[in-house]
Amino acid sequence: MSKKSVIIIGAGLAGLSTGCYAQMNGYESKIFEYHSVPGGVAAVWKRGDYLIDGGIHFLIGHKPGTPLYDVYSEICDIDSIDIADMTTYLRFVDETGTKSIEFTQDIEKLEQDLIQIAPEDEDEIRSFIKEINSLKGSSLLTDMGMSTAPPELRGRFDSLKEMWQMRGFMKYFMGKYSKSAVEYAEHFQNPFLKTIISYLFSPDGPMWFVIMILATVASGQLGLFKGGCHTFVRSIEERYKSLGGQIQYRAKVEKIIVEDGKAVGVVLADDSEHRADVVVSAADGKSTIFDLLGGQFIDDKIKKRYDTWKTYDPMSGVSLGVSRTFDDEASLNAFMQKEPIQLSDRDVPLVYLRIFNHGDVFAPEGKSVIQVILETEWDYWKNLRENREQYENEKNKLAQDIIRRLEKIYPGIAGQVEKIDVSTPYTTWRYTLNDKGSPMGWLMTKSTIMEQIPRTLPGLENFFMAGHWVLPGGGVPSSIYTGRNVIQILCKRDGKEFRTKSED
Ligand SMILES: Cc1cc2nc3c(=O)[nH]c(=O)nc-3n(C[C@H](O)[C@H](O)[C@H](O)COP(=O)(O)OP(=O)(O)OC[C@H]3O[C@@H](n4cnc5c(N)ncnc54)[C@H](O)[C@@H]3O)c2cc1C
């Protein structure tokens, strides 16, 4: 019997993951990717001798003994990828440069350091630290319920099973840790501590996620790609190809062909038509549903999601190639500013600095890449881009402002800058087509995290969706798991046992 064919739109992590599992389960798959390289938002690029890593900041669950590690192992040679343990999550420095605190693996020290900074908040600090300790080492950190069945495969007992698995976590969906970081920060009196708590991750993201990240660091399960995030992407692409999968780059899908309520193929931008038994979109959710499918397969829930849900704020990145090293510095630093950075209509109170001193591929010897990340506005950059000169001027202005601020922290650095690269939300959109340049899809909130988004659309057969637009909160694990889910559903419908290895 000939194999069922599957077309996958997008070679980001979700598309590649879908492709790997499709091949393992006896489907013949082909990925059409708009860009010239795989990875989607997990992207790196060269600027002279410098390698700019504009993608994944850290990988959760990179070491054996976690459900996530097992899943990574299914789709790539995770052991051969050089990953450093992130032993310090973040160093936070106040605006005078005199007070600082490091969020390291050592939770007891962190508790003491926080109490020293804010003795008036001792009780709240102790309960915050207690939560980190109680999650340390938990498999929930590297699974978060993602291994349970997707909505399409849920039986009567699956929700109960999930609730049981997640029981240790349920308390975080209510009470103070379900608040956004900025709201939870109000539980503290000390102004410095309030700012620290608000900006440990995203001010709008839930506080339990921050606790989870710190517990992951404490468990030694947060990793940094020593060779850049593309080493991970390329390893998955290699596995996919070795399983017999095909990828066509520079192939933008313009339309999904639907006949008799079934997806039967795609039309590319060059007007070529490609047919398959199944179509999976691992591309941007909005353009898939409303452009490629013309908005014909939606219900009230989908409409509400796309009308009202918040996406992660897009980012600007100012990357600098500098002729100096930062040997003993933390890889992630937050420097509070006396004068906030003014970007669009926002005041950004700190400089978030990533230092790429965890690998030697980013810069020639004796030099380094550093990168300042700023959450910003899509509309602002999109409108600016309509006038190319203005857009470039604004990018330049931002870079100069950042260099001026860094000069105060690292005197002499302004004269050591050899390369400047500024990316904006428009850059993210231009290379990945993610709506409003969102880096991770839907923002994780109290209500979105409870929502099960199906991997299918109502009224459309033989069609599936994978990626960070079908699992609120997005991120690497979600993208990989949702690709796995799609093939699990397909296997179930085809009466096959789901495999996680090659059939050969
Ligand atoms: C700067 C940054 C840092 C991050 N840090 C972390 C982190 O530390 N930890 C973590 O877990 N996650 C992180 N993330 C998020 C994580 O990288 C993403 O959620 C995940 O990689 C998304 O993968 P995806 O395959 O779902 O989507 P995408 O990466 O968006 O892939 C979609 C692909 O589809 C292609 N495509 C779109 N439309 C079409 C079309 N019409 N035709 C053909 N192809 C199309 C795109 O070109 C793209 O390659 C970060 C993201 C960014 C941007």
Side-chain angles (χ1 to χ4, degrees), residues 10-21 31 38-39 233 236-237 240 247 249:
L13 295 176
L16 291 170
S17 155
T18 311
C20 286
Y21 291 109
I31 301 178
V233 172
I236 307 175
E237 185 203 32
Y240 174 58
I247 310 188
Y249 290 107

Side-chain angles (χ1 to χ4, degrees), residues 304-317:
K304 184 173 169 211
R305 194 177 311 137
Y306 283 91
D307 281 348
T308 62
W309 278 23
K310 274 174 119 180
T311 57
Y312 277 98
D313 276 338
M315 295 187 238
S316 272

